[in-house]
């Protein structure tokens, strides 16, 4: 059952000539974890903003085609209704801290206060969300005193607490060290395992290969490839189009040319590479 | 530790437990009384018999007295000196020196004005020392203050220290590339130019992202907002507010009556 449907979506920011998204068709099923990859400027962020309703409601500009989430069309909805269905977290965790709250607990409750959740319901929901992302111990700290990885988890938690149907993440680990990345991916994986629909724009292909159900490759605002991670991430088209690919894939491709890789399927992760070279 | 722009001292005291609006009413009542009361000694009495004891009731006497000694009294003292020396009123000359003439009336006027300033600044200091900014704002929002307005106040308090930290980073970065920030005044003013660009434009980008982030959390939602903090507004609070308003009214009425 498709919860997100994009049909022939073309979008132009105000004051720009060329469209950022061109004829994008995309369906995401309920409970699916879809990763979106693409070089810089391919339209990943714009796609995320479109799913989250900020295109066209916040950025204005020209949107044609159909964007539908949970049976509602974007043009027939307003942003503050839309955000109840689709949660968005993005790159810079620092700018996602509201600045209106003095502790992490209050920061996470901010969204619930805004949509008028009664006080009695608020506390258990915040506590549950904190436990889910493993930051219960940060509840009384100031959000500004945290590390980047911790702040990003706070940003994620403050979206999760609102219980959106679809979670849209725009490179949530881009400015993070390996430890922060592992922390954030851990949270995303938990959410996906609990059946939340996740759309994740990300460069880190090895993580994507390990977690995602499907990968969509964007290039110049168009969908280049759409399929299983193992197929999309090892496609020869990717390297030609200037995508960052896994070092294990490129190593195995070289090895295949030299006759050292016997399998048809190329690896993306270290485990797959080790297994392939062993056989 | 992280620095923030707030005077709030977290303690448990009767003054801390008062409703924020009651404390705000008290501040304005004290100010209006010290200006509007027909009795000359009102501001002085307020300082000694009300504000000073209140700082002990609020258990912030140390912080209050420090602020008073460092800031409030020196400022009020300076005002007193200036007005005593230069206020061209009065006949009862105490002494004359060069062009200066100190009269009894000028000194009396300066003395009451200095006390009024002390009442004004002191009562705000006590309010800020004993009231958490977000408690004040959520209480006022609940009573009809637009939430956007409250957001601007609170987030500014938190974001200014962040911007200061960022300015420091930019200055350090520019200095490591040879920018002179320590020699003559003109050069130092010139050194501000490469700071302003990154700071201002960087902040504008941040504002857009922050707008998206709070919008994603339903900031402009049409639902009535609720609040995580429960802010008590007791019967005592309401009576106190009423009494303060009545006393201000009485002061103004008696002033009109007497004049």
């Amino acid at each position: 059952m498709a919860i997100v449907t994009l049909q022939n979506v073309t979008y132009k920011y105000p004051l720009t000539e060329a469209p950022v998204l061109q004829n994008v068709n995309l369906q995401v099923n309920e409970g699916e974890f879809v990763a979106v990859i693409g070089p810089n400027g391919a339209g990943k962020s714009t796609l995320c903003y479109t799913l989250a309703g900020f295109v066209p409601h916040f950025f204005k500009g020209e949107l044609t085609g159909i964007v539908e989430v949970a049976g509602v069309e974007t043009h027939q909805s307003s942003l503050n209704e839309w955000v109840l269905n689709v949660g968005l977290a993005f790159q810079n965790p620092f700018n996602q801290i509201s600045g209106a709250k003095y502790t992490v607990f209050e920061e996470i409750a901010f969204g619930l206060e805004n949509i008028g959740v009664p006080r009695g319901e608020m506390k258990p929901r915040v506590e549950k969300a904190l436990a889910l992302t493993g930051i219960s111990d940060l509840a009384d700290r100031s959000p500004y005193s945290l590390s980047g990885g911790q702040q990003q988890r706070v940003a994620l938690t403050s979206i999760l607490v609102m219980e959106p149907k679809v979670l849209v993440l725009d490179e949530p680990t881009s400015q993070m060290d390996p430890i922060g990345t592992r922390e954030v991916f851990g949270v995303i994986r938990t959410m996906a395992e609990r059946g939340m629909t996740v759309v994740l724009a990300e460069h880190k292909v090895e993580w994507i290969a390990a977690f995602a159900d499907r990968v969509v490759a964007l290039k110049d605002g168009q969908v280049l490839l759409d399929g299983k991670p193992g197929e999309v991430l090892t496609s020869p088209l990717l390297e030609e189009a200037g995508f960052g690919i896994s070092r294990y894939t490129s190593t195995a491709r070289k090895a295949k040319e030299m006759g050292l890789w016997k399998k048809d399927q190329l690896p993306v992760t270290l485990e797959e590479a080790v297994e392939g070279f062993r056989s | 530790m992280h620095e923030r722009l707030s005077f709030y001292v977290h303690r448990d005291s009767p003054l801390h437990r008062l409703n924020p609006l009651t404390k705000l009413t008290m501040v304005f009542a004290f100010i209006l009384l010290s200006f509007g009361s027909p009795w000359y000694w009102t501001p002085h009495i307020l300082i000694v018999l009300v504000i000073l004891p209140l700082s002990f009731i609020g258990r912030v006497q140390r912080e209050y007295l420090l602020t008073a000694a460092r800031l409030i009294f020196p400022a009020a003292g300076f005002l007193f000196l200036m007005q005593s020396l230069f206020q061209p009123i009065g006949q009862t000359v105490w002494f004359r020196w060069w062009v200066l003439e100190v009269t009894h009336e000028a000194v009396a006027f300066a003395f009451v004005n200095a006390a009024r300033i002390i009442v004004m600044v002191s009562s705000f200091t006590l309010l800020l020392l004993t009231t958490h900014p977000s408690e004040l704002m959520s209480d006022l929002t609940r009573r009809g203050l637009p939430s956007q307005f409250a957001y601007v106040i609170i987030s500014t308090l938190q974001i200014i220290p962040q911007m200061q930290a960022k300015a420091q980073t930019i200055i350090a970065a520019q200095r490591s590339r040879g920018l002179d920030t320590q020699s003559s005044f003109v050069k130092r003013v010139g050194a501000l130019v490469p700071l302003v660009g990154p700071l201002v434009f960087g902040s504008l980008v941040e504002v857009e992202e922050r707008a998206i982030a709070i919008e994603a959390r339903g900031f402009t939602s049409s639902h009535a907002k609720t609040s995580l903090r429960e802010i008590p507004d007791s019967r005592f609070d309401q009576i106190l507010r009423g009494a303060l308003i009545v006393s201000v009214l009485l002061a103004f009425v008696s002033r009109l009556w007497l004049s």
Side-chain angles (χ1 to χ4, degrees), chain A:
Chain A
M1 179 49 199
I3 187 162
V4 176
T5 311
L6 265 62
Q7 247 175 58
N8 297 320
V9 170
T10 298
Y11 174 70
K12 232 164 58 177
Y13 279 104
L15 310 174
T16 54
E17 286 297 311
V20 190
L21 296 177
Q22 287 181 57
N23 272 321
V24 174
N25 287 293
L26 179 70
Q27 281 212 343
V28 181
N29 291 325
E30 215 167 336
E32 208 175 11
F33 183 171
V34 176
V36 180
I37 57 169
N40 289 329
K44 295 194 299 294
S45 294
T46 308
L47 182 65
C48 289
Y49 285 143
T50 309
L51 294 174
F54 287 87
V55 163
H57 295 299
F58 184 86
F59 288 102
K60 311 299 173 194
E62 225 176 89
L63 180 78
T64 55
I66 295 171
V67 178
E68 209 180 87
V69 173
V72 187
E73 233 254 86
T74 193
H75 283 300
Q76 282 151 12
S77 179
S78 66
L79 188 52
N80 58 49
E81 289 300 313
W82 196 263
V83 297
L84 299 178
N85 280 333
V86 188
L88 171 74
F90 46 92
Q91 297 186 22
N92 189 342
F94 178 75
N95 290 342
Q96 296 178 71
I97 306 288
S98 71
K101 299 294 171 183
Y102 285 80
T103 69
V104 168
F105 197 96
E106 292 176 359
E107 174 70 26
I108 287 160
F110 179 71
L112 299 180
E113 293 180 328
N114 286 336
I115 59 171
V117 174
R119 183 181 297 126
E121 242 175 83
M122 221 184 277
K123 264 189 110 169
R125 265 173 85 168
V126 173
E127 275 159 8
K128 209 177 101 195
L130 283 167
L132 193 64
T133 51
I135 53 170
S136 304
D137 53 327
L138 303 178
D140 295 324
R141 299 265 302 272
S142 159
Y144 284 110
S145 69
L146 307 176
S147 73
Q150 291 172 325
Q151 278 186 343
Q152 187 60 272
R153 280 195 289 171
V154 170
L156 255 175
T157 314
S158 37
I159 290 300
L160 290 176
V161 76
M162 300 180 70
E163 295 168 3
K165 295 194 176 94
V166 181
L167 183 62
V168 178
L169 305 164
D170 184 8
E171 296 189 42
T173 66
S174 64
Q175 296 177 9
M176 235 150 264
D177 57 13
I179 296 170
T181 306
R182 199 185 313 141
E183 288 173 355
V184 171
F185 267 104
V187 175
I188 300 171
R189 179 181 219 175
T190 316
M191 295 324 296
E193 277 166 0
R194 286 172 170 245
M196 187 175 259
T197 311
V198 181
V199 177
L200 166 74
E202 184 57 69
H203 283 296
K204 292 168 179 149
V205 284
E206 286 149 40
W207 285 103
I208 291 173
F211 291 159
D213 298 323
R214 224 173 89 204
V215 177
V216 174
L218 272 189
K219 166 81 176 162
D220 299 328
Q222 289 169 312
V223 177
L224 186 70
L225 292 165
D226 181 349
K228 290 227 171 320
E231 294 162 18
V232 174
L233 295 172
T234 58
S235 160
L237 282 173
L238 283 193
E239 216 169 354
E240 286 164 31
F243 284 68
I245 63 162
S246 153
R247 59 191 132 165
Y248 307 111
T249 313
S250 49
T251 310
R253 187 167 290 142
K254 286 252 164 58
K256 198 174 183 183
E257 284 165 17
M258 297 155 76
L260 296 171
W261 181 268
K262 304 285 189 294
K263 288 168 116 182
D264 283 337
Q265 174 69 38
L266 291 173
V268 184
T269 63
L270 176 63
E271 287 75 26
E272 289 167 4
V274 169
E275 196 207 336
F277 278 115
R278 279 225 176 103
S279 60

Side-chain angles (χ1 to χ4, degrees), chain B residues 222-241:
Chain B
S222 46
H223 296 266
K225 284 186 205 293
T226 48
S227 168
L228 177 69
R229 278 169 186 266
E230 194 167 8
I231 301 155
D233 193 10
S234 64
R235 191 93 198 105
F236 177 69
D237 276 298
Q238 291 161 12
I239 293 170
L240 192 55
R241 285 203 295 270

Side-chain angles (χ1 to χ4, degrees), chain B residues 53-72:
Chain B
L54 269 181
S55 77
F56 282 87
I57 292 172
R59 296 178 58 208
V60 289
Q61 66 277 21
R62 222 186 115 254
E63 289 79 6
Y64 168 67
L65 290 174
L66 267 176
T67 319
R70 279 190 200 145
L71 180 77
I72 307 173

